[in-house]
Amino acid sequence: TNLQTQFAAELTTLGGTVIPCAMADLPAKLTDFLHQRAATHVFVDAVGAEHLPIEFAAIREPDPTVKFGLTGCAAGIANTGTVLLLDEGETLKASLLPETHLVVLPTSRLVADLPEALAGTRNASNAVLVTGPSRTADIEMTLTIGVHGPKEIIVFLVDDSKIG
């Protein structure tokens, strides 16, 4: 759909990566990606734990040696390529601490813009908007990627439209 195309285009412009796939292909896509990066341990939230292939160790406590985090998300905002995370326990830690943040985003959770995304967050204690890799500029305006958060964001855009 247009939302999928727009989200992918925006996030890619920001230096993120979008990997479209069908729900049935998600385990294989995750396995391929993690194998390519030689990952063995992955910091997960509840959604991450559900989708992490069995051969990888799921880590639930912050560990600086774990370079990959796999989380779900509340929404994807098409017009900015932004991922909306709600603080449901481990989601924020698993998204912020590892160098590489992997996100499972079902296409049914894509929305057009921020107001539409925020409409679903009224009961959340925290909502975090992630737009591309972490960027930090110093006083000289030198831009550095990945100082205060992930160097990389990879969104597995899962087509769940055929389900139900």
Side-chain angles (χ1 to χ4, degrees):
T1 66
N2 293 344
L3 288 180
Q4 290 175 41
T5 308
Q6 188 181 17
F7 178 87
E10 291 296 332
L11 183 58
T12 303
T13 301
L14 293 161
T17 303
V18 176
I19 301 176
C21 60
M23 189 59 89
D25 299 332
L26 180 61
K29 294 269 187 190
L30 279 168
T31 300
D32 288 349
F33 181 87
L34 291 166
H35 276 312
Q36 280 168 15
R37 301 298 184 86
T40 52
H41 295 66
V42 181
F43 192 0
V44 295
D45 66 356
V47 173
E50 190 185 320
H51 292 293
L52 185 68
I54 196 83
E55 64 199 271
F56 302 97
I59 306 297
R60 297 305 275 262
E61 289 300 317
D63 178 340
T65 65
V66 177
K67 303 297 185 209
F68 299 88
L70 175 64
T71 72
C73 66
I77 304 171
N79 71 347
T80 54
T82 298
V83 174
L84 171 68
L85 304 173
L86 297 183
D87 187 5
E88 291 161 353
E90 296 130 331
T91 303
L92 296 187
K93 285 185 250 170
S95 72
L96 286 170
L97 297 174
E99 282 175 18
T100 301
H101 180 199
L102 310 178
V103 182
V104 176
L105 171 57
T107 53
S108 61
R109 293 198 174 187
L110 282 171
V111 296
D113 53 30
L114 183 60
E116 191 180 343
L118 291 180
T121 65
R122 289 197 172 81
N123 301 323
S125 57
N126 279 313
V128 173
L129 299 165
V130 179
T131 308
S134 162
R135 287 170 168 73
T136 307
D138 62 19
I139 198 160
E140 307 287 326
M141 299 314 287
T142 307
L143 191 67
T144 312
I145 302 290
V147 177
H148 298 293
K151 290 183 170 63
E152 199 177 19
I153 180 167
I154 289 103
V155 174
F156 290 84
L157 190 56
V158 183
D159 186 351
D160 61 351
S161 60
K162 294 166 193 67
I163 298 164

